[in-house]
């Protein structure tokens, strides 16, 4: 796969995220994916610019149903940050990004139960990342490795920090107990990086 992926400015990324055709064009070459027809389940639950995503920046992804905008931000993050960080900190290639889903027709979870509001997962505007695998066989899990004093923990902290460049809202185990085992990366939001 070629890496003709130049850093999109925030403005361009925002525009590509809101327009399906520009998003598909930007994602082409940056990811392996199959385009699907848009899906509407209910008013609250739908996927616009629907795809099955299989890899970003040569890092394998277990086939994931999501929307193009989510995949594009993930691809930018993987290409511009995760791959270089893997080299610098882990001294090996990033091989796989382990996710625990994107689309999920559900309401928001809070520490006190369920909120009235719909989750951004109901429109596939978020993806949950549980860990990473590397070419040398190393496997990192947020639940196990986040709090350690290891290169792997440094990789995870740097991954979280750099995710905030590409996703308007990024939540990590540092946010609350609901996120102890994953990063919640969201297309929409107001610069929350925790
Ligand atoms: Zn989430």
């Amino acid at each position: 796969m070629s890496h003709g992926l130049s850093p999109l400015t925030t403005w361009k990324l925002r525009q590509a995220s809101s327009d399906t055709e520009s998003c598909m064009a930007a994602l082409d070459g940056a990811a392996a994916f199959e385009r699907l027809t848009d899906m509407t389940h209910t008013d609250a639950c739908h996927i616009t610019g629907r795809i099955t995503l299989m890899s970003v920046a040569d890092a394998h992804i277990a086939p994931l149903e999501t929307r193009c905008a989510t995949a594009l931000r993930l691809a930018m993050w993987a290409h511009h940050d995760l791959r270089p960080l893997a080299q610098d900190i882990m001294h090996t290639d990033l091989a796989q990004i382990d996710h625990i889903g994107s689309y999920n027709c559900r309401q928001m979870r809070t520490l006190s139960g369920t909120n009235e509001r719909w989750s951004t997962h109901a429109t596939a505007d978020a993806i949950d990342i549980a860990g990473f695998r590397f070419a040398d066989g190393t496997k990192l899990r947020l639940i196990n490795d986040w709090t350690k004093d290891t290169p792997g923990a440094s990789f995870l902290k740097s991954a979280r920090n750099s995710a905030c460049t590409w996703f308007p809202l990024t939540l990590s185990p540092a946010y609350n107990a609901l996120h102890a085992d994953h990063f919640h990366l969201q297309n929409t939001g107001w610069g929350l990086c925790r």
Side-chain angles (χ1 to χ4, degrees), residues 36-184:
L36 304 172
T37 53
D38 288 355
M39 188 278 293
T40 303
H41 179 57
T42 63
D43 281 351
C45 298
H46 50 85
I47 308 178
T48 306
R50 180 168 160 247
I51 62 168
T52 300
L53 184 65
M54 290 157 293
S55 82
V56 288
D58 290 341
H60 183 72
I61 296 194
L64 170 70
E65 185 172 338
T66 189
R67 61 177 309 209
C68 183
T70 304
L72 182 59
R73 291 178 190 278
L74 193 73
M76 299 299 281
W77 180 46
H79 180 78
H80 295 290
D81 296 300
L82 296 179
R83 292 189 69 86
L85 287 170
Q87 288 296 333
D88 291 352
I89 301 174
M90 306 301 289
H91 307 293
T92 183
D93 282 324
L94 177 69
Q96 178 157 332
I97 300 174
D98 289 317
H99 66 80
I100 47 174
S102 173
Y103 175 73
N104 190 346
C105 182
R106 65 166 173 84
Q107 282 159 299
M108 275 181 71
R109 283 198 272 262
T110 67
L111 289 171
S112 52
T114 308
N115 194 296
E116 292 283 287
R117 288 168 58 199
W118 286 91
S119 165
T120 46
H121 286 286
T123 49
D125 276 305
I127 180 171
D128 292 338
I129 305 292
F132 303 90
R133 292 182 222 196
F134 301 87
D136 67 357
T138 310
K139 194 172 169 179
L140 294 177
R141 285 286 159 276
L142 268 75
I143 191 75
N144 297 328
D145 297 294
W146 178 261
T147 54
K148 288 183 180 165
D149 183 17
T150 57
S154 303
F155 175 88
L156 294 176
K157 302 281 169 28
S158 301
R160 189 275 312 275
N161 294 345
S162 59
C164 301
T165 308
W166 305 107
F167 291 89
L169 187 145
T170 297
L171 303 177
S172 77
Y175 181 62
N176 67 19
L178 291 176
H179 298 83
D181 63 354
H182 68 279
F183 292 144
H184 171 89

